[in-house]
Amino acid sequence: MKPETPWKRAGYCAVAMLAAANAFGETTDGGVADGAADAVPAIVISALEAAARGEAFADDLHPETAKTGKPPSSVQQAFDVRHYALSVRIQPESRSIEGTLDLTFRAIEPLSAIELDLDPDLTVHAASMAGVAATFERNGDSFTVALPVQVDAGETRVVRVSYGGQPHIALAPPWHGGFVWSEVDGTPWFATAVQTEGCDLWWPCKDTYADKPEEGVEVAVSAPRGVMVASVGVLAGVTEGDDGFDTWRWVSRHPYTGYAIAINGGPYEVIEESYTGVNGTTYPVQFWALKKNVDKARKLVLSEVFDDLAFFERLLGPYPWGDEKVGFVETPHLGMEHQTINGYGEQYKRGKHGFDQLLHHELAHEWFGNVMTHRRPQDAWLHEGYGAYMQAVYAEELVGAMGYFDRMYEAYVSNEHCLPVVNPGVGDVGEAFDNRDIYTKGAWMLHTLRRYMGEQPFWGGTRRLLYDTREPWSLAYPIAPRYRTTEEFIRIMSEEAGEDLSWLVAAYLDEAGMPELQARRQDGQLKLAWKVPGDRPFPMPVTIRINGEEQRVAMGGAPVAVPLPDGASVILDPHSDILRDLPIIGDCAEQTDAQIQYNIDRFTRMAREYSWQR
């Protein structure tokens, strides 16, 4: 069957992600979904309030399953994942799944066993290699398969695992993730959203960002007839079963982080348009929309997605997966950056800066997150700081400086100052995302760096971060993904600037607080000095405006004195070029208390809007 036939026949980060959406000037409030109940079940309210406070609740996850991106075990370090082939049967009536995984791996050292992660809510039924049954042993959130024969270093093998059960139901997707179950007019509507918990919530995997399958993935999903299934890569075909279930087979040749592999099913209709990218490749743009929203989805594609793509490709370079698709799918939750199939639940609202900020943000992650992936949890700001900053840059293009600084001001006042943005103490991605400053302070650091470096060096360095070249315009597919660290970011930007910029980045990302520009008038002078957390060096020059005249003041370690007429009007940093401590943010405790109540209110509102159940 041709890939396009099925839809012609049948005619979505952590609490911090929600806070960050508000911080950048968007409410993310949606209209009430069809059939939404006026009252949310008491168990949902209790669980949501506990989640907002960081407390345990009755059906909380296994504490190790909840961690994604944690250091792999010694057994996991001994093999490299080459390919995932996942086949899963979705059973909405029982909210259960049954699946099989074929894992292709290469031994890095002699292997007698492999270890995969899987939530203990799901049962491992059997394992085998080359048709020979293998024994396996459960160990909390993981299991070990004893290989029938030893696999020597350098050899490649395939292990098959069958499993099943009732996967963890998302509490507040996508921030507290899992499987999302819903329905539309009696037809099942489901999705997966597991960014901060990881792929092991619903399938056996190596739940780390540090080992993507170099040879790609295959996802075959069987669902009740009438349900169309959207997933990663390219639709290779649909097989109609004799049991009332159809199997949708999706394939991709690209590496994926586990959480970015998603499945979505519902009564969809597919809008497809073609877009020609900056490298001359024409690729499909697909939007899998609920049938009632087809016209809205088509308008969104034609009026915004094309413009978003043009913006990203103009500043950054080619869309990374143009040999497959740009994909969006309507979800029963707000959204998530799943590679080639971004979850979308913003309900077709134009944001206050003239564009759909959620669609734009998730699309940004195809560059910042999917093709460029942070190597360690502490580097998560590379995804979210950049991802959030791109909306401010886009607002600047659409409505000018007022749009840019409106978003940046809202981000500024939402900084918490509780933890460093780059915090080596975080043990997994979820812990990193608990700090919303990875969005807000990360974006403001980029703003300050851009102002300091200038346009061409900043964007050239950004393109090198993504593609290893500042001139990626003619790159052909496949485009190689790469891992990055904060240290690599500093090296690249320093090379572009022609000077060591570690002092600038470290002052913002390695400290919980911000530099303070101290200024006082004395004896006909304006005396200026930087006070920096950790007493770090910070030779940041400052523009000052005295009686309407601007001058740039070089700053070093010692205070600087500038002549100042009596009664002069003084404005420090009049163009807000520098992220610095200003008396408009409460302390860490004040910010945290306010955010807890904000999240309780927001979670419960969204539970009504999306009809969340347990």
Side-chain angles (χ1 to χ4, degrees):
M1 180 175 290
K2 294 181 180 180
E4 69 272 12
T5 302
W7 60 72
K8 289 186 177 179
R9 183 190 66 226
Y12 330 168
C13 318
V15 172
M17 289 192 286
L18 182 56
N22 181 65
F24 278 87
E26 301 290 344
T27 64
T28 70
D29 291 331
V32 177
D34 286 357
D38 291 333
V40 179
I43 187 174
V44 175
I45 296 295
S46 297
L48 291 173
E49 291 181 351
R53 295 189 179 99
E55 301 169 352
F57 46 91
D59 61 346
D60 208 352
L61 278 172
H62 185 286
E64 292 301 310
T65 304
K67 298 177 181 179
T68 186
K70 62 183 179 181
S73 69
S74 59
V75 175
Q76 290 179 329
Q77 292 177 35
F79 69 93
D80 174 46
V81 175
R82 306 300 300 176
H83 185 266
Y84 285 124
L86 175 65
S87 178
V88 61
R89 181 182 175 95
I90 309 298
Q91 300 170 139
E93 287 190 1
S94 60
R95 294 187 173 183
S96 65
I97 61 175
E98 292 293 329
T100 300
L101 174 73
D102 285 340
L103 166 69
T104 303
F105 67 92
R106 181 180 60 84
I108 297 173
E109 56 188 66
L111 281 178
S112 59
I114 64 166
E115 180 184 338
L116 294 174
D117 300 303
L118 185 67
D119 184 10
D121 283 354
L122 298 170
T123 300
V124 179
H125 299 318
S128 63
M129 187 175 77
V132 179
T135 60
F136 57 89
E137 182 179 354
R138 266 292 198 172
N139 181 22
D141 68 315
S142 65
F143 64 96
T144 302
V145 177
L147 302 176
V149 296
Q150 179 172 290
V151 179
D152 292 333
E155 292 185 338
T156 299
R157 294 290 187 271
V158 178
V159 163
R160 171 168 288 189
V161 176
S162 62
Y163 73 103
Q166 292 182 312
H168 181 78
I169 299 174
L171 171 63
W175 311 282
H176 298 275
F179 237 88
V180 187
W181 301 99
S182 187
E183 66 175 38
V184 178
D185 297 329
T187 300
W189 186 23
F190 59 83
T192 57
V194 295
Q195 182 183 33
T196 59
E197 300 86 3
C199 47
D200 58 338
L201 254 64
W202 66 279
W203 60 283
C205 61
K206 188 191 283 192
D207 188 20
T208 175
Y209 282 44
D211 189 4
K212 296 182 181 183
E214 289 88 346
E215 297 170 12
V217 301
E218 178 179 331
V219 181
V221 182
S222 299
R225 187 157 299 138
V227 174
M228 299 178 68
V229 178
S231 190
V232 298
V234 175
L235 182 61
V238 179
T239 303
E240 295 184 358
D242 297 332
D243 56 356
F245 279 66
D246 297 336
T247 300
W248 299 68
R249 180 169 169 263
W250 291 85
V251 296
S252 174
R253 63 171 169 167
H254 295 293
Y256 282 74
T257 303
Y259 83 87
I261 301 173
I263 58 175
N264 307 267
Y268 295 127
E269 189 169 319
V270 183
I271 294 93
E272 181 170 324
E273 300 289 343
S274 296
Y275 183 85
T276 300
V278 69
N279 64 356
T281 301
T282 298
Y283 48 81
V285 178
Q286 296 176 1
F287 201 115
W288 296 63
L290 296 179
K291 292 180 179 180
K292 63 179 181 177
N293 293 327
V294 166
D295 290 341
K296 294 178 182 178
R298 180 174 291 108
K299 179 179 179 182
L300 188 62
V301 169
L302 296 175
S303 66
E304 294 208 32
V305 175
F306 283 13
D307 289 345
D308 290 348
L309 285 168
F311 165 78
F312 286 120
E313 290 202 328
R314 181 172 64 254
L315 278 181
L316 305 177
Y319 172 72
W321 325 114
D323 52 345
E324 295 186 347
K325 72 177 185 297
V326 177
F328 301 92
V329 59
E330 195 165 349
T331 54
H333 62 82
L334 188 60
M336 178 50 62
E337 68 267 18
H338 298 133
Q339 188 170 319
T340 74
I341 191 65
N342 286 299
Y344 176 81
E346 186 72 322
Q347 302 176 16
Y348 307 95
K349 304 184 308 298
R350 184 181 297 274
K352 70 175 184 176
H353 299 108
F355 65 100
D356 189 314
Q357 70 90 29
L358 183 131
L359 184 141
H360 192 277
H361 181 81
E362 306 307 350
L363 185 57
H365 282 306
E366 296 285 25
W367 285 266
F368 304 106
N370 293 340
V371 75
M372 184 276 292
T373 303
H374 63 71
R375 189 178 296 275
R376 308 165 302 194
Q378 69 198 63
D379 301 313
W381 76 271
L382 287 167
H383 294 201
E384 301 302 343
Y386 260 114
Y389 186 57
M390 296 307 290
Q391 281 82 72
V393 178
Y394 193 51
E396 184 177 31
E397 283 204 4
L398 291 185
V399 299
M402 67 176 180
Y404 179 86
F405 277 110
D406 184 41
R407 296 189 73 88
M408 295 305 294
Y409 182 81
E410 292 298 331
Y412 184 90
V413 298
S414 295
N415 278 298
E416 289 184 321
H417 304 323
C418 295
L419 294 167
V421 170
V422 176
N423 181 5
V426 299
D428 63 89
V429 173
E431 289 185 7
F433 273 85
D434 284 341
N435 179 9
R436 75 173 186 255
D437 287 5
I438 67 173
Y439 293 81
T440 54
K441 196 174 181 183
W444 259 97
M445 187 280 295
L446 292 171
H447 161 83
T448 302
L449 186 64
R450 179 185 172 198
R451 291 292 199 261
Y452 182 81
M453 293 176 66
E455 292 292 299
Q456 295 305 316
F458 176 82
W459 292 113
T462 298
R463 290 190 290 271
R464 286 182 58 192
L465 189 75
L466 295 168
Y467 303 102
D468 268 343
T469 175
R470 67 174 64 86
E471 300 290 338
W473 320 113
S474 60
L475 285 177
Y477 297 111
I479 292 174
R482 50 192 41 84
Y483 292 105
R484 293 298 193 192
T485 64
T486 302
E487 290 81 5
E488 288 175 292
F489 170 83
I490 293 171
R491 174 184 61 79
I492 290 171
M493 289 301 186
S494 295
E495 290 172 355
E496 291 297 311
E499 65 173 287
D500 183 4
L501 294 175
S502 58
W503 61 270
L504 188 155
V505 178
Y508 291 124
L509 301 190
D510 293 353
E511 300 288 343
M514 296 180 185
E516 177 188 355
L517 181 58
Q518 298 179 322
R520 60 190 176 93
R521 300 171 186 243
Q522 184 178 3
D523 301 327
Q525 294 179 322
L526 178 66
K527 295 188 176 181
L528 302 171
W530 283 112
K531 180 182 179 182
V532 185
D535 294 325
R536 292 179 176 272
F538 194 68
M540 176 67 74
V542 179
T543 298
I544 59 174
R545 183 183 294 164
I546 300 176
N547 288 335
E549 297 292 329
E550 293 185 2
Q551 58 180 295
R552 189 130 170 110
V553 180
M555 302 284 289
V560 174
V562 178
L564 185 68
D566 291 342
S569 168
V570 177
I571 301 177
L572 305 176
D573 188 26
H575 306 289
S576 300
D577 292 332
I578 305 170
L579 174 60
R580 57 193 177 98
D581 190 38
L582 296 169
I584 54 177
I585 303 178
D587 61 20
C588 174
E590 180 182 341
Q591 287 281 308
T592 301
D593 290 343
Q595 197 59 41
I596 288 172
Q597 188 58 51
Y598 171 82
N599 284 326
I600 290 174
D601 295 342
R602 181 59 58 85
F603 285 162
T604 53
R605 185 184 310 123
M606 295 190 78
R608 292 191 297 271
E609 293 170 351
Y610 289 94
S611 301
W612 289 341
Q613 303 291 321
R614 302 299 292 155

